[in-house]
Amino acid sequence: MGNCPGFVALWDCVRVLDFSDPFSTEVKPRILLMGLRRSGKSSIQKVVFHKMSPNETLFLESTNKICREDVSNSSFVNFQIWDFPGQIDFFDPTFDYEMIFRGTGALIFVIDSQDDYMEALARLHLTVTRAYKVNTDINFEVFIHKVDGLSDDHKIETQRDIHQRANDDLADAGLEKIHLSFYLTSIYDHSIFEAFSKVVQKLIPQLPTLENLLNIFISNSGIEKAFLFDVVSKIYIATDSTPVDMQTYELCCDMIDVVIDISCIYGLKEDGAGTPYDKESTAIIKLNNTTVLYLKEVTKFLALVCFVREESFERKGLIDYNFHCFRKAIHEVFEVRMKVVKSRKVQNRLQKKKGATPNGTPRVLL
């Protein structure tokens, strides 16, 4: 393993990245949160991106205007979230819905599973069909929300019914080519974080490269499962090709919380200087089922969380060496990205001077 077999492919993955997609680096892709009133849109945003306790969301007032928020100041993944009030008629003639949908990467429609969802399905159909006419590249995501109050059988039946009715409506309108993705979500468990992870992953152009890097890493290190996490939001931006188990994902989220909480208490200097998460951050947690959780810092916003069998973890030196190769490859990906962003900013300035405007749906940049 001295020459790090298998990791030669890491550099090939980096070199074949395609950054030719037309998008503006000065306009972050939008994720729209839509749905009827009291469906839980604002609660989702507060829990995922503001670390609000689910119980505190009970006291949130109903949103009465469009709330736009940048999710780039503290998080590695860059995009905007637009939270639409349920009562707004965004297809009013005075409302420029074409401008909104034209720059949208994903549209999340939230349906309250504990309420009568016939009106919600009608609004979903109207929203999707209008949006698709403006921008055929939008990813349509349906969150069947508040499922914590349903039994397992009721959850499955509700998802099946909503899935069937929504797709039947599209088929009746001759729009079978529109694809809807469905997720069962709740702010009282990690399902909302996992659903948002999958939404964001679709907007990351480098996702296949990141997955390849993770596959090579785990196959050469005896690791069972690995996630690349955005530490701030606990959204995993990539994982290897093995199936994701909900319990595994929950353990990873809990580990990140533990690491950050302990680092905030004991990792800062006496004057409070420094950051709780830096290049020295690492953690090992041994579970009672002969599994080891291993966390390592990749960048100041990213962490690699691995599941390793105890017998495989005895070769920690090998894992650390392979991680060094993996981390180096990830940084190479980001260096390429920075060069592209820099050159495209120059191009944008030149376009503006000539009076041109960039168009097309922007995608999340890593």
Side-chain angles (χ1 to χ4, degrees), residues 52-65:
M52 180 179 284
S53 166
N55 292 326
E56 292 179 32
T57 63
L58 297 172
F59 305 103
L60 287 176
E61 295 183 1
S62 183
T63 305
N64 55 18
K65 64 179 180 179

Side-chain angles (χ1 to χ4, degrees), residues 7 22 50 106 159 161 177 225 227 254 266 275 279 294 301 318 333 347:
F7 269 89
H50 293 269
Q159 183 177 21
D161 189 41
K177 54 188 174 183
K225 186 69 182 170
F227 293 89
D254 292 343
Y266 301 106
T275 57
K279 63 182 180 180
Y294 192 30
F301 292 126
L318 171 66
V333 173
Q347 290 176 4

Side-chain angles (χ1 to χ4, degrees), residues 11 49 53 79 135 140 154 184 202 236-237 241 260 307:
W11 307 110
F49 298 106
S53 166
F79 53 84
N135 181 358
F140 295 106
H154 196 178
L184 294 171
K202 294 179 183 178
Y236 70 93
I237 65 169
S241 56
I260 297 301
F307 279 75

